[in-house]
Amino acid sequence: ENVLTQSPGTLSLSPGETATLSCRASQRVSSMHLAWYQQRPGQAPRLLIYSASSRATGIPDRFSGSGSETDFTLTISRLEPEDFAVYYCQQYGTSPLYSFGQGTKVEIK
Amino acid sequence: EVQLVESGGALVQPGGSLTLSCVASGFTFSGYWMHWVRQSPGKGLVWVSRINTDGTTTTYADSVKGRFTISRDNVKNTLYVQMNSLRVDDTAIYYCVTENYYGTGSLDDWGQGTLVTVSS
């Protein structure tokens, strides 16, 4: 089973700072099949990044994704108040077929 | 604009059954693989099931296999999940989700979810 482990569990930052979120897979993941989502309180998740580094429609360029094989990173530059949320990584294609990391909460310091 | 509207969530006793629906609009529903993803209160996201464009291929998470059945009606633009033998740990918000058309495996558009509570 391919387990996605996100770190840190919580990131405390101030508006304007840069957030660096990690997603580590226990087995290799195709870069084409790694995505990131944002979930604000009380809302449904929203796709931010697909194929490890491609921004979804309407996503600001302060969000960027990188990485390959087992190590992936979501970087949020110049944090805006609306960016404080929970972020999930997700993989497709290894067992289990679809799976999510446990999430990283980005909170206001 | 893509819209996915789930309904059917309710309070149900352990061992009971429930069917959730998701009405889709704003896109060509019949052209997209569709999924159900759930989220227990205060917890993370868990993939539940997916169905291909014509409903002939379905896949399930081990935790629901044999109890849940995903289906779709491309005339009514509606996705369903029939849930049987419900357990307390099935309590969650259930989201209806589209899969990326180009095969990246990303889950592109999400409904607002419907809450299923399994409790005696």
Side-chain angles (χ1 to χ4, degrees):
Chain A
E1 179 179 335
N2 197 355
V3 177
L4 301 182
T5 302
Q6 293 186 238
S7 62
T10 302
L11 200 49
S12 299
L13 295 167
S14 300
E17 292 192 299
T18 295
T20 303
L21 287 65
S22 172
C23 175
R24 183 159 292 175
S26 59
Q27 302 172 26
R28 182 186 178 280
V29 175
S30 164
S31 294
M32 182 176 177
H33 298 148
L34 192 289
W36 289 92
Y37 303 84
Q38 176 194 67
Q39 187 175 32
R40 295 171 176 152
Q43 294 187 16
R46 175 175 72 145
L47 176 68
L48 295 176
I49 301 287
Y50 64 94
S51 297
S53 60
S54 298
R55 275 186 300 277
T57 303
I59 301 303
D61 61 7
R62 63 178 183 274
F63 290 89
S64 62
S66 62
S68 62
E69 303 211 345
T70 60
D71 287 293
F72 297 89
T73 300
L74 174 69
T75 302
I76 314 169
S77 304
R78 308 178 304 278
L79 279 165
E80 298 280 349
E82 62 267 27
D83 299 337
F84 291 92
V86 179
Y87 293 84
Y88 296 93
C89 59
Q90 174 248 326
Q91 68 85 30
Y92 159 65
T94 66
S95 178
L97 193 57
Y98 298 81
S99 61
F100 294 90
Q102 83 280 17
T104 290
K105 181 179 182 180
V106 178
E107 65 175 23
I108 299 177
K109 187 174 181 180
Chain B
E1 179 194 2
V2 172
Q3 284 205 320
L4 299 164
V5 180
E6 303 95 335
S7 62
L11 171 64
V12 61
Q13 292 191 335
S17 298
L18 200 61
T19 297
L20 307 182
S21 303
C22 168
V23 176
S25 60
F27 67 106
T28 305
F29 178 73
S30 60
Y32 286 76
W33 290 58
M34 296 294 297
H35 296 247
W36 290 98
V37 175
R38 69 184 183 185
Q39 186 171 35
S40 299
K43 303 296 186 182
L45 302 170
V46 176
W47 175 77
V48 173
S49 183
R50 75 168 182 181
I51 188 167
N52 71 338
T53 54
D54 64 4
T56 57
T57 300
T58 58
T59 315
Y60 299 92
D62 287 346
S63 58
V64 306
K65 200 173 295 183
R67 300 187 300 123
F68 287 16
T69 302
I70 189 172
S71 62
R72 65 191 296 161
D73 184 332
N74 286 343
V75 174
K76 295 182 178 179
N77 286 350
T78 303
L79 176 72
Y80 304 97
V81 61
Q82 180 179 351
M83 305 184 292
N84 297 327
S85 303
L86 282 162
R87 309 190 297 224
V88 171
D89 61 0
D90 293 319
T91 295
I93 297 172
Y94 285 74
Y95 294 102
C96 166
V97 191
T98 66
E99 180 172 324
N100 180 270
Y101 183 83
Y102 297 103
T104 67
S106 60
L107 302 174
D108 288 6
D109 295 290
W110 297 63
Q112 282 304 301
T114 187
L115 177 62
V116 173
T117 303
V118 185
S119 175
S120 55

